[in-house]
């Protein structure tokens, strides 16, 4: 039969108490067959130890993702004003945008993408009498560090500035 | 962030780098990272950038004024 040894702290002076709950039912608390520190409600859990079905369920629940289809994350995004004084409203993993001319911008990533095979998605608010299209610019750069996008007037196909431009990167 | 970074682009015009306020980098760090390699640049106040973009593609810059540095070699894009 294996044994249980209780050992006091080497230097502390306080008393550590193990207390039973208020119950009339006999219970057995089985310790794990490995070394380590018991996790309490006040403990931090190393992300490396958060694995398996419970972790997967927690993540899919947090993302309201039903079903078993895999989830692929947005790796960078930006919402900016491309008119007047061009400015970024909000962003994630974007260090800056480069205004290269009318309707032509480079989105620079703070942390590089794992490769340049990512998916680019974009939108811009509608102008008067036209629907704007945001896409990868012809001949523009596509690297792990940055992507160049153009905003085109849907009626004339000319580059245009719009007050709401949104770009997101998936990989 | 009220600064912008300007540098000459390959089309003969001027590119303006607009920093992301939430990125956690300084304007100097952004310049070092996002100015294309070999391009001289200057950090300017946002008030120095015209808000009238009607002739945006005609903007030019005097290279002699771009005295704050040159884009790092880590930038492989142009």
């Amino acid at each position: 039969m294996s044994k249980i040894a209780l050992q006091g702290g080497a230097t502390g002076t306080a008393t550590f108490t193990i207390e039973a709950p208020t119950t009339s039912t006999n219970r057995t608390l089985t310790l794990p067959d490995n070394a380590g520190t018991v996790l309490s409600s006040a403990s931090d859990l190393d992300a490396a130890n958060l694995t398996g079905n419970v972790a997967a369920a927690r993540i899919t629940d947090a993302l309201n993702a039903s079903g078993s289809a895999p989830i692929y994350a947005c790796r960078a995004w930006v919402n900016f004003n491309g008119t007047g004084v061009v400015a970024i409203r909000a962003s994630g993993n974007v260090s800056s945008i480069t205004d290269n001319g009318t309707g032509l911008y480079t989105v620079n990533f703070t942390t590089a993408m794992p490769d340049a095979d990512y998916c680019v998605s974009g939108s811009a608010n509608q102008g008067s009498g036209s629907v704007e299209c945001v896409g990868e610019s012809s001949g523009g750069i596509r690297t792990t560090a940055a992507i160049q996008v153009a905003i085109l007037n849907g009626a004339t196909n000319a580059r245009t500035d719009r007050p709401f431009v949104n770009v997101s990167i998936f990989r | 962030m009220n600064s912008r970074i300007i540098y000459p682009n390959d089309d003969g015009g001027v590119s303006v780098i607009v920093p992301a306020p939430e990125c956690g980098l300084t304007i100097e760090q952004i310049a070092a990272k996002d100015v294309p390699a070999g391009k001289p640049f200057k950090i300017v106040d946002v008030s120095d950038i015209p808000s009238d973009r009607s002739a945006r593609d005609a903007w030019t810059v005097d290279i002699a004024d771009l005295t704050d540095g040159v884009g790092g070699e880590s930038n492989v894009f142009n």
Side-chain angles (χ1 to χ4, degrees):
Chain A
M1 176 181 287
S2 57
K3 303 170 184 175
I4 292 177
L6 297 177
Q7 181 176 317
T11 57
T13 59
T15 300
F16 194 91
T17 303
I18 299 175
E19 182 179 271
T22 303
T23 180
S24 299
T25 303
N26 293 333
R27 301 189 189 280
T28 299
L29 186 63
T30 303
L31 299 174
D33 185 15
N34 52 49
T37 303
V38 175
L39 192 67
S40 78
S41 58
S43 301
D44 287 330
L45 179 60
D46 190 320
N49 293 331
L50 186 64
T51 61
N53 293 336
V54 172
R58 291 288 302 273
I59 293 169
T60 55
D61 284 352
L63 295 173
N64 296 312
S66 61
S68 58
I71 303 167
Y72 294 95
C74 175
R75 309 298 291 269
W77 61 273
V78 62
N79 168 357
F80 64 91
N81 180 356
T83 61
V85 178
V86 174
I88 294 174
R89 291 190 184 86
S91 64
N93 194 29
V94 167
S95 58
S96 68
I97 58 169
T98 305
D99 162 22
N100 299 296
T102 302
L104 187 64
Y105 299 91
T106 303
V107 178
N108 301 300
F109 309 134
T110 306
T111 300
M113 295 296 130
D115 55 44
D117 294 334
Y118 46 79
C119 171
V120 185
S121 178
S123 67
N125 66 316
Q126 183 179 15
S128 58
S130 67
V131 175
E132 269 56 67
C133 170
V134 178
E136 207 170 331
S137 65
S138 174
I141 62 153
R142 170 191 271 264
T143 70
T144 59
I147 180 76
Q148 191 173 69
V149 297
I151 300 98
L152 301 178
N153 180 293
T156 65
N157 208 31
R159 292 204 307 259
T160 186
D161 288 327
R162 298 303 305 154
F164 283 89
V165 182
N166 311 287
V167 178
S168 50
I169 306 296
F170 292 86
R171 182 68 177 98
Chain B
M1 219 178 268
N2 289 323
S3 298
R4 300 289 187 265
I5 305 162
I6 58 174
Y7 66 87
N9 60 38
D10 292 338
D11 297 326
V14 56
S15 288
V16 181
I17 293 180
V18 180
E22 300 164 312
C23 73
L25 301 176
T26 65
I27 192 71
E28 291 81 9
Q29 290 171 321
I30 292 172
K33 192 179 82 60
D34 294 342
V35 175
K39 299 288 189 187
F41 67 84
K42 188 170 186 64
I43 298 169
V44 300
D45 191 86
V46 66
S47 62
D48 294 329
I49 306 296
S51 58
D52 181 356
R53 294 176 60 82
S54 58
R56 173 63 184 87
D57 292 339
W59 291 3
T60 58
V61 64
D62 186 342
I63 291 180
D65 292 334
L66 306 179
T67 55
D68 285 347
V70 176
E73 295 300 323
S74 63
N75 294 330
V76 295
F77 54 89
N78 288 303

